[in-house]
Structure formats: C-alpha cells, structure tokens
C-alpha cells in the first residue's frame, strides 16, 4: 500500500502502516513469535502463533524453508482433551521435523500464550532446536533428544493488547536481559488535551502532548544499555474510534561491532539482521503491539 506518512516513520512507515491496515475489530487474541534457529546445517525461521477465541485456544508451528513452508496446527478446545498432548511430523526440505507438546496442565493469564505448566519442543535429527515452556525435564524425557548446539534467538514478537485507557505487556529486549513491564496510557476523551504516555517498569520514557498533531511519530529510548526506537500510530484512536486500533513498535539496536546477530551464514538470515543497519547499530529484536479498545 502507499506510504501515507514517510516523514514520521522513515523506512518503517510502510511496514507499520500495512500492519495497522490489516487488523480489524474481528481480530482474534493472538501472539506471534519468530525465532532464528539452525539445524541440518542451515538457518531457518520458526514462527509460533498462539491464538485464543470464544471456543478455545490453538497454536501453530510454521517452519520456513527456502522453497516452501511447513505448518503444524493444533486445536486446544476443551472437548479435544486428547490433543493437549502429542506430536506431529513435518517435512521441511525433505528432512523430517518432529513437533512435541504437552498442554494438559498449561496455565494462562489474560492472553493466549501459556505461562507455565507446558512444553513445546521442535526436534531435528535427535536435537531439540527450539524448546518453549517450563517443563524442560518432561520435554527431554519425552523427546529423548539432546539440547540445541546453537541456542535459538527470538527475532520478533507481535501481539494484541486490550484495554480502555491502559494497555500492558511484558518484553525482554536483550537476549540475556530481564523482562520489563510495558504500560501504554492514552487520554483521548474528556476535557483534557489528548496525550500519550509510555512507561517501562513504571518509569516514564515517552510523553506525547498535542497528540492531535503528533498521532504518528517515533522516539529513541535506552533499555538495558540498548537503543530502542519506539514508533506509534494512534490515528484511529483519535479519528476512527469505532473501528480502529493503535499500533506501537519497539525496535532494538545492537552496536555495529556486535556479533550477536551475525552468527548465521544463511543469506536470508544475514539480510534480515543487517538490512536495517544505521548509524545507531544493527536492528535486533522487535516488539509490535496492536492496541484495541475494550467496549
């Protein structure tokens, strides 16, 4: 689609605008995470999507190959109890990939992603290339696989958040850093002038006044010693309140001499890591939030 606000977002304008345009009021509550992994001597992207709707929950595993994509979808509806534990085989470039899971004791908070009491393991040639969840011992016992030779790396996270005035989530910006609490507060009604406040661990990092004129923009903040570029688009909250959502993106940057993201020979991985290189460094983890107003 055409770039409606290049002056605000620069190279990110099209990306954020496209995402905002694809979301709608019927969007399900979902979280999508993209991981960089390496197996069969090649780097591959693995996308995990957790979804929650009126009839239950589900998750999808998508392994990206250079020529095709292999997908595994599992419904976790209450009447599908036997599906809460199991495994499936995937064919990725002629190689067998095994997906193991156990969600029988999974515990959730408000979102679709389980927080504890579960595991999701992806195995290739007797090696766990990606392991999610806290039931680590159970996962290794079930799969009879060895730990990964190269630890997977979380590239991006996309999620939907809901609220009336406050929108909260958690994020880990540095690979070895701690998890931070993120709170977005937006005043758009009443007699007060619209304004936007964004806090990380209760500390105010962004305050946007005169929001009617600054409904799209970006600002650089510092978290865990890393530069984090924060982009926002709250146009629909102000001018299309009945239909639209706001979009926020947090993009981290590593120092130019960092090797954290140049650890893979695969061309697509290297291009993903380096295509956003600027004077501030190498683009790293990104967090994208769709913020929906609850009725």
């Amino acid at each position: 689609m055409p770039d409606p606000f290049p002056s605000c977002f620069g190279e990110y304008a099209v990306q954020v605008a496209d995402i905002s345009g694809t979301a709608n009021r019927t969007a399900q509550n979902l979280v999508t995470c993209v991981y960089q992994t390496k197996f069969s001597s090649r780097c591959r992207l693995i996308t995990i999507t957790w979804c929650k709707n009126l009839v239950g929950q589900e998750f999808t595993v998508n392994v990206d190959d250079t020529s095709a994509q292999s997908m595994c979808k599992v419904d976790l509806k209450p009447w599908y109890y036997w599906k809460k534990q199991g495994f499936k085989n995937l064919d990725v470039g002629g190689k067998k990939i095994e997906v193991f899971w156990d969600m029988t004791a999974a515990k959730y908070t408000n979102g679709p992603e389980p927080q504890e009491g579960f595991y999701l393991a992806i195995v290739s040639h007797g090696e766990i290339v990606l392991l999610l969840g806290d039931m680590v011992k159970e996962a290794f016992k079930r799969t009879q696989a060895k730990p990964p030779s190269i630890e997977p790396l979380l590239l991006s996270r996309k999620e939907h958040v809901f609220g009336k005035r406050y929108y909260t989530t958690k994020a880990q910006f540095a690979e070895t850093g701690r998890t931070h609490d993120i709170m977005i507060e937006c005043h758009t009604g009443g007699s007060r002038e619209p304004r936007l406040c964004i806090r990380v661990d209760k500390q105010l990092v962004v305050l946007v006044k005169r929001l009617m004129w600054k409904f799209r923009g970006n600002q650089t903040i510092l978290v865990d010693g890393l530069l984090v570029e924060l982009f926002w688009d709250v146009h629909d909250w102000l001018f299309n309140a009945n239909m639209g959502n706001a979009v926020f993106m947090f993009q981290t940057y590593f120092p130019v001499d960092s090797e954290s993201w140049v650890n893979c020979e695969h061309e697509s991985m290297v291009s993903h890591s380096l295509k956003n290189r600027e004077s501030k460094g190498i683009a790293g983890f990104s967090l994208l939030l769709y913020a929906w107003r609850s009725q």
Side-chain angles (χ1 to χ4, degrees):
M1 66 180 290
D3 178 4
F5 35 85
S7 62
C8 292
F9 289 97
E11 65 177 293
Y12 295 96
V14 175
Q15 180 181 0
V16 176
D18 285 346
I19 292 168
S20 179
T22 57
N24 54 61
R25 267 299 183 188
T26 61
Q28 294 173 311
N29 187 1
L30 57 85
V31 172
T32 300
C33 297
V34 180
Y35 298 87
Q36 173 182 303
T37 66
K38 187 172 184 179
F39 56 92
S40 299
S41 301
R42 295 180 58 183
C43 288
R44 305 175 192 270
L45 295 178
I46 297 180
T47 302
I48 310 294
T49 300
W50 306 93
C51 180
K52 179 181 180 181
N53 50 43
L54 294 177
V55 295
Q57 286 150 320
E58 64 185 42
F59 68 87
T60 303
V61 177
N62 194 310
V63 182
D64 188 15
D65 188 41
T66 54
S67 58
Q69 291 184 339
S70 298
M71 187 175 69
C72 164
K73 183 177 180 180
V74 178
D75 288 319
L76 300 174
K77 296 180 176 62
W79 53 89
Y80 288 164
Y81 183 82
W82 62 90
K83 286 191 175 183
K84 292 186 176 182
Q85 181 181 24
F87 78 97
K88 285 187 177 182
N89 292 326
L90 296 179
D91 186 333
V92 180
K95 306 292 184 180
K96 186 179 76 169
I97 305 299
E98 298 172 299
V99 180
F100 296 83
W101 68 89
D102 188 347
M103 306 288 170
T104 53
K107 296 181 180 179
Y108 301 81
T109 52
N110 295 325
E113 187 179 21
Q115 301 301 307
E116 58 179 295
F118 79 101
Y119 69 76
L120 172 59
I122 300 174
V123 179
S124 173
H125 291 86
E127 177 182 321
I128 294 183
V129 297
L130 179 63
L131 176 59
L132 305 178
D134 59 335
M135 295 174 57
V136 177
K137 292 183 179 179
E138 292 82 353
F140 279 102
K141 182 179 179 180
R142 175 70 178 87
T143 62
Q144 294 294 301
K146 61 182 180 181
S149 55
I150 297 179
E151 289 295 329
L153 190 63
L154 178 61
L155 296 181
S156 66
R157 178 181 175 88
K158 178 176 65 176
E159 64 179 288
H160 293 246
V161 292
F162 301 84
K164 293 184 178 180
R165 176 173 163 182
Y166 300 96
Y167 306 82
T168 61
T169 188
K170 296 179 180 290
Q172 182 179 351
F173 295 101
E175 185 179 0
T176 57
R178 64 190 181 92
T179 300
H180 297 277
D181 294 312
I182 298 174
M183 184 176 72
I184 298 168
E185 178 184 359
C186 189
H187 303 267
T188 58
S191 58
R192 300 183 62 179
E193 180 184 15
R195 65 175 183 170
L196 175 68
C197 302
I198 300 177
R199 293 179 171 83
V200 176
D201 296 330
K202 298 183 180 181
Q203 180 179 356
L204 182 66
V205 295
V206 172
L207 173 60
V208 183
K209 299 179 181 180
R210 300 180 63 191
L211 196 58
M212 298 293 289
W213 298 97
K214 300 178 181 179
F215 52 83
R216 295 189 184 110
N218 64 291
Q219 183 171 322
T220 302
I221 62 176
L222 192 66
V223 181
D224 291 335
L226 296 176
L227 292 177
V228 180
E229 193 77 5
L230 171 57
F231 302 84
W232 66 87
D233 180 351
V234 298
H235 174 274
D236 285 353
W237 275 357
L238 296 169
F239 306 109
N240 192 21
N242 293 328
M243 296 294 294
N245 63 287
V247 181
F248 300 88
M249 184 169 74
F250 297 77
Q251 174 71 63
T252 65
Y253 288 91
F254 295 98
V256 174
D257 59 353
S258 172
E259 297 181 357
S260 299
W261 285 75
V262 194
N263 59 0
C264 186
E265 299 83 3
H266 193 278
E267 181 180 353
S268 65
M269 286 294 140
V270 174
S271 64
H272 179 90
S273 302
L274 301 182
K275 66 179 180 180
N276 293 322
R277 177 177 288 193
E278 299 178 351
S279 59
K280 61 174 68 69
I282 301 173
F285 168 74
S286 63
L287 170 66
L288 182 65
L289 301 176
Y290 301 106
W292 295 90
R293 279 215 172 95
S294 301
Q295 297 298 322

